Amino acid sequence: MTFTFRPVNPQADANLLHGWMTEDRARYWGMQASSADDVAHAYSSLGAGHTAHLGYHGDTPAFLMERYDPHFDPIGDHYEPSAGDVGMHLLVAPTTTPVPGFTRSVMTAVLDYLFADPLAERIVVEPDVRNEKIQILNTATGFVKSAVIHLPDKDAWLSFCTRAGFAAARADWTPVPRTPAPMTPAHLTPVRWAAATRHLVAKAIAEFSHERLLTPIPVGDEFSLTSDDGLTEYRFGATQRALGHWSIPPMSIRRQRQDVDEPLDALEFILEFRGTLGIGDTVLPVYLEEISSTLAGGAYKLAQPGQTSAELVEATVDAATFGQRLERSMTEGHPCFVANNGRLGFGLTDNLAYAPETGAPVHLVWVAVTRRKAVFTASSSLSYDDHLQQELGSETRVRFSARLEAFGLDAADYLFMPVHPWQWENKLTVTFAADIARHDVVYLGVGVDRYQAQQSIRTFFNLDKPQRCYVKTALSVLNMGFMRGLSPQYMEHTPAINDWLQRLVQNDPQLQNVRFGILREVAAVGYHNRYYEAASPAGSPYQKMLSALWRESPLPLLATGERVATMASLLHRDEAGRPLVAALIQQSGLTAADWVSRYLRAYLVPLVHCLYAYELAYMPHGENVILVLADGIPVRILMKDIAEEIVVMGERTPLPESVRRIRVQVPVEEHVLTIFTDVFDCFFRFLADILAGDAGLSGPLLPEDDFWALVAGTICAYQAGAPELAAEFAKHDLFAPEFPLSCLNRLQLRDNTAMLDLADPSSSLQRAGSLSNPIARFAPSERH
């Protein structure tokens, strides 16, 4: 029999597990009187070293398996745990059609799964002494009883199964063969697929039209698009706004082929316009896969019982819980990219385990990498030992060191590094097999702390100890034009770049005046694989498979009453279309204009000042900006993703040698695009549309002209307070009548595996004419 495993999602799986645990057959689990909420809470707050997995037989949930570390469990008080001990609990799902040998097949699969860890030497169980059935099963699969122990909730048989004992028991048994049914993802239903498709087709028409790849033609009160072969027509309603933005109600779209109504099909839409979109034969199938993955992600989000925008905002929880609840509730990725949820490489189980929208707790894999091939760097005030002590604690460090000693290795010769579980299983164990075989890379096990994946997929927030750092890992998954790896060469200078920027921010009165801050990347480790560095060009994904960095948590930087939210949440709408930004404005008690003014001062002013004062630009999209909120009001921002994405574009700002990597030669006339493109076009036009009353609102919160007038007023107020930079204001004119339209989807359609050269971003740009600047008419009077 074939079984698959995935981590338990406490919220999504609560009802299923509650049904299992409240049956009489599960009485030894002690949860007969529990509610579904009790179950969700229990699996959201598992102890140190404790993980839970659902096992599937085909598409049917078949069992629950818990893995725990006896060192951190009451059982450790009754015997002396060894380094290779792994604790296990098992609950097989109820069935009305028993299959002979099924339960033993489950136990065999579980032991196979646990012993796949090369450091697991002995499985420990402690069944209730009254549970004779499980004792019989344990004995049959190689467990040996040791002693009756008295635990807080039961008297139990302490029992052990070694690798040799399991192998011997297995050799004496032939499992009953049974072909599993194909696993059908529960969220992929016709209704959800149709809804996800309608949303994505609306976005595709809007963004491809914005980038002037498609040209809708007015027909009465509607617009029309005709496919490349002239046989299919799309009709839809739309409001055209500033910056060439198309606001299209998804329900308005109709598709006809040769005058016959047809259902919407996002994949067919791409094929129908492939010539007009300019998608090459090599890119097309990969792009279709990214579209399909984006649709599947959309269907999954539609299947979840999401909270309303008002509920998300009003949640009376601590700052960490509030921020992470928002993080997993986002239903839209990057607002500009059509295929914004590709994640090529993830399968169904991977998405359920690691996608940010599931909110599933993740235990990171830890490895030791030889110092001969790896480099650790940290902020000037932070040592390797101090950093590990803060992030791992003494017990885990001792446990990991003991595992190295079990191989006859000295921990002093290694650096400890966190790794994404998917990366370890799917890439490193194969691609870095030589390094593992030679003990240049050594598997240590999973960490104690639970983490939650952020919108960027490969970055994790510590759920158990929120004051600890975010962890960013290498992940060889293709998403939005890049393989999401991390370069060991970049890691070497990451802390120094962050230290430099922190000093600049702290010593700048303008930035301090708006309380601008950064989340420093305080430590990084990168591993150099000589084979792939010799075989591949600079920047190749093969050189970015094994690195990690640690970024400050925002929690220690908050004042009493402050909460954090990803800025991407300002574009979020709940299931009924109600925007989260509207709920924040209502909570604040301010008018929409006052709220937006506060937001612009916190977000726009520091970006504009850094451009004018230092020719310094960030990548200030919604996921990279953390809003600090007080009573729903943005009071300041914290910028993250520093070392990989900031650039100094001119020679005016001196840089120390260790930081010079961030200086990039960009033509002077393009400097201002860091505001026009990254802020105005890639974020403000979407926010302005929501505030002006798109399909998700019954009426406007803030007229579009008023929004852009506030943007202009914010810039004017800043410039009036910084007369010493007047020459820079003229050189980088934010009130110019127009600016070039730089197109992100065109980049992805041209090359969806490496759409941008980060070392020379200017040469990679795809442009399509120019856009009228929506703040030009609000320029200071002396300019007219």
Side-chain angles (χ1 to χ4, degrees):
M1 296 185 188
T2 302
F3 298 94
T4 57
F5 294 75
R6 72 159 173 84
V8 165
N9 184 322
Q11 301 301 323
D13 297 329
N15 288 330
L16 173 71
L17 297 180
H18 175 255
W20 294 0
M21 292 176 175
T22 51
E23 288 205 350
D24 181 66
R25 61 189 300 279
R27 59 189 179 279
Y28 299 116
W29 280 67
M31 299 191 73
Q32 295 282 285
S34 67
S35 66
D37 286 343
D38 294 332
V39 173
H41 176 74
Y43 284 95
S44 295
S45 53
L46 293 174
H50 200 145
T51 60
H53 285 70
L54 269 180
Y56 279 77
H57 182 250
D59 61 356
T60 304
F63 58 88
L64 168 68
M65 184 272 287
E66 296 180 6
R67 181 189 194 277
Y68 67 90
D69 188 334
H71 293 84
F72 301 101
D73 189 85
I75 195 176
D77 297 332
H78 296 271
Y79 87 106
E80 188 65 34
S82 300
D85 283 359
V86 176
M88 183 267 288
H89 299 142
L90 176 65
L91 176 63
V92 179
T95 180
T96 56
T97 55
V99 175
F102 184 80
T103 304
R104 183 161 180 174
S105 294
V106 167
M107 179 65 91
T108 300
V110 167
L111 293 175
D112 270 335
Y113 185 85
L114 295 175
F115 279 128
D117 178 349
L119 297 179
E121 295 298 333
R122 189 168 63 164
I123 310 304
V124 185
V125 294
E126 14 70 62
D128 192 298
V129 294
R130 298 165 295 173
N131 192 346
E132 295 180 356
K133 288 185 177 180
I134 195 67
Q135 293 172 43
I136 293 171
L137 177 63
N138 288 344
T139 301
T141 50
F143 282 91
V144 175
K145 292 179 178 179
S146 174
V148 174
I149 58 176
H150 306 289
L151 295 173
D153 58 340
K154 64 183 178 183
D155 290 340
W157 267 113
L158 177 65
S159 307
F160 300 95
C161 180
T162 63
R163 287 180 179 273
F166 175 49
R170 190 176 196 175
D172 293 334
W173 177 67
T174 302
V176 179
R178 181 178 178 184
T179 303
M183 192 170 183
T184 303
H187 58 280
L188 295 183
T189 65
V191 172
R192 294 189 191 115
W193 189 260
T197 294
R198 187 166 286 279
H199 171 79
L200 193 62
V201 170
K203 181 169 186 175
I205 294 174
E207 289 308 300
F208 291 152
S209 298
H210 170 70
E211 295 190 9
R212 298 168 184 174
L213 288 161
L214 301 179
T215 308
I217 298 171
V219 179
D221 295 333
E222 294 184 308
F223 291 87
S224 172
L225 277 174
T226 302
S227 62
D228 290 348
D229 63 8
L231 300 178
T232 303
E233 182 189 25
Y234 290 82
R235 289 283 187 97
F236 53 92
T239 300
Q240 293 180 273
R241 300 199 184 279
L243 294 174
H245 183 73
W246 291 76
S247 184
I248 301 174
M251 294 307 297
S252 73
I253 305 172
R254 306 190 312 279
R255 177 188 180 214
Q256 285 192 332
R257 185 161 183 85
Q258 294 181 308
D259 298 324
V260 177
D261 289 339
E262 296 283 352
L264 297 185
D265 185 326
L267 296 165
E268 194 68 40
F269 178 87
I270 300 300
L271 292 172
E272 288 170 342
F273 292 93
R274 62 181 294 188
T276 301
L277 297 175
I279 310 178
D281 292 342
T282 302
V283 172
L284 181 59
V286 182
Y287 190 70
L288 287 177
E289 188 177 3
E290 290 183 284
I291 290 289
S292 185
S293 178
T294 301
L295 288 167
Y300 177 85
K301 294 166 190 173
L302 289 170
Q304 304 313 301
Q307 293 179 294
T308 67
S309 290
E311 289 170 339
L312 284 172
V313 166
E314 294 169 2
T316 53
V317 293
D318 59 62
T321 304
F322 178 78
Q324 292 311 296
R325 184 174 293 176
L326 281 180
E327 195 76 26
R328 69 171 179 260
S329 298
M330 299 302 95
T331 53
E332 184 62 76
H334 195 293
C336 296
F337 284 101
V338 175
N340 62 15
N341 197 28
R343 304 172 188 170
L344 301 192
F346 273 7
L348 173 63
T349 302
D350 304 317
N351 272 300
L352 291 172
Y354 309 124
E357 59 267 18
T358 69
V362 176
H363 288 263
L364 298 178
V365 167
W366 281 80
V367 299
V369 291
T370 177
R371 290 177 181 264
R372 293 180 294 104
K373 296 182 178 181
V375 176
F376 173 87
T377 52
S379 294
S380 56
S381 61
L382 188 63
S383 70
Y384 172 73
D385 284 336
D386 288 343
H387 174 66
L388 275 195
Q389 186 63 30
Q390 292 171 19
E391 291 301 310
L392 282 178
S394 299
E395 290 186 358
T396 301
R397 291 181 69 188
V398 169
R399 179 161 55 96
F400 286 171
S401 295
R403 294 197 171 184
L404 285 171
E405 292 167 5
F407 286 110
L409 305 171
D410 187 346
D413 296 332
Y414 289 84
L415 298 170
F416 292 173
M417 178 194 297
V419 175
H420 195 294
W422 185 95
Q423 190 78 352
W424 173 255
E425 182 176 350
N426 293 277
K427 284 294 179 183
L428 300 179
T429 54
V430 176
T431 311
F432 281 48
D435 303 73
I436 295 169
R438 294 173 183 142
H439 286 168
D440 289 336
V441 177
V442 181
Y443 176 82
L444 299 176
V446 296
V448 170
D449 291 350
R450 297 171 308 139
Y451 289 82
Q452 180 175 319
Q454 304 298 279
Q455 288 290 310
S456 59
I457 306 175
R458 56 183 170 154
T459 299
F460 294 92
F461 179 86
N462 194 316
L463 293 172
D464 291 321
K465 297 179 178 64
Q467 310 296 320
R468 286 182 172 175
C469 288
Y470 287 98
V471 176
K472 185 174 183 179
T473 60
L475 183 62
S476 299
V477 167
L478 181 67
N479 192 50
M480 282 199 314
F482 290 103
M483 194 71 74
R484 299 290 160 170
L486 279 181
S487 162
Q489 290 83 4
Y490 269 39
M491 292 305 97
E492 188 170 353
H493 298 291
T494 285
I497 292 169
N498 281 263
D499 283 351
W500 169 81
L501 182 59
Q502 178 78 338
R503 289 192 297 271
L504 182 148
V505 169
Q506 289 178 338
N507 293 322
D508 186 288
Q510 287 276 12
L511 296 178
Q512 290 302 300
N513 187 43
V514 294
R515 302 174 62 202
F516 173 73
I518 65 170
L519 296 179
R520 289 181 304 152
E521 292 145 358
V522 295
V525 59
Y527 181 84
H528 294 271
N529 185 304
R530 63 184 178 87
Y531 301 114
Y532 297 107
E533 290 188 0
S536 58
S540 166
Y542 281 97
Q543 296 190 25
K544 301 178 181 181
M545 289 190 179
L546 186 50
S547 294
L549 65 81
W550 289 265
R551 177 189 300 137
E552 288 178 309
S553 166
L555 274 298
L557 306 178
L558 300 182
T560 302
E562 290 183 337
R563 302 195 291 188
V564 289
T566 171
M567 193 176 75
S569 66
L570 298 187
L571 306 184
H572 173 70
R573 301 175 182 86
D574 62 23
E575 189 176 355
R578 294 179 292 261
L580 186 133
V581 67
L584 284 173
I585 291 171
Q586 182 174 11
Q587 183 188 55
S588 73
L590 301 175
T591 66
D594 286 343
W595 190 96
V596 170
S597 294
R598 304 278 191 99
Y599 160 69
L600 292 173
R601 185 173 187 272
Y603 171 62
L604 183 59
V605 168
L607 302 181
V608 170
H609 177 68
C610 286
L611 168 65
Y612 286 137
Y614 308 107
E615 295 177 308
L616 167 66
Y618 305 86
M619 188 64 73
H621 56 67
E623 193 277 323
N624 268 0
V625 177
I626 299 294
L627 296 176
V628 179
L629 303 169
D631 298 320
I633 303 169
V635 295
R636 58 194 171 103
I637 69 163
L638 299 170
M639 187 69 68
K640 61 188 183 73
D641 229 350
I642 302 300
E644 281 197 297
E645 296 196 330
I646 67 167
V647 293
V648 172
M649 299 175 288
E651 299 294 333
R652 186 155 52 87
T653 301
L655 298 176
E657 183 64 35
S658 59
V659 177
R660 287 186 181 175
R661 189 193 79 214
I662 68 173
R663 195 185 302 281
V664 176
Q665 296 305 314
V666 176
V668 172
E669 64 273 14
E670 293 182 4
H671 290 192
V672 77
L673 291 182
T674 62
I675 302 297
F676 282 149
T677 299
D678 297 339
V679 179
F680 284 19
D681 194 37
C682 290
F683 197 82
F684 280 0
R685 71 179 168 96
F686 298 96
L687 181 59
D689 181 48
I690 290 174
L691 293 169
D694 70 349
L697 286 171
S698 57
L701 282 172
L702 186 68
E704 187 181 19
D705 283 352
D706 290 2
F707 175 85
W708 291 110
L710 290 172
V711 172
T714 301
I715 295 171
C716 287
Y718 159 73
Q719 291 183 345
E724 70 279 7
L725 295 172
E728 298 302 315
F729 302 157
K731 182 166 67 173
H732 306 300
D733 186 7
L734 284 174
F735 293 96
E738 58 184 29
F739 59 86
L741 168 58
S742 185
C743 304
L744 298 185
N745 285 286
R746 285 178 182 257
L747 288 172
Q748 192 176 13
L749 294 174
R750 179 187 63 182
D751 184 350
N752 50 7
T753 61
M755 70 178 191
L756 193 65
D757 181 357
L758 295 177
D760 184 15
S762 178
S763 66
S764 305
L765 297 180
Q766 288 277 295
R767 293 174 177 161
S770 61
L771 294 171
S772 295
N773 183 359
I775 71 169
R777 61 195 177 96
F778 302 110
S781 57
E782 62 268 21
R783 292 173 47 90
H784 288 293

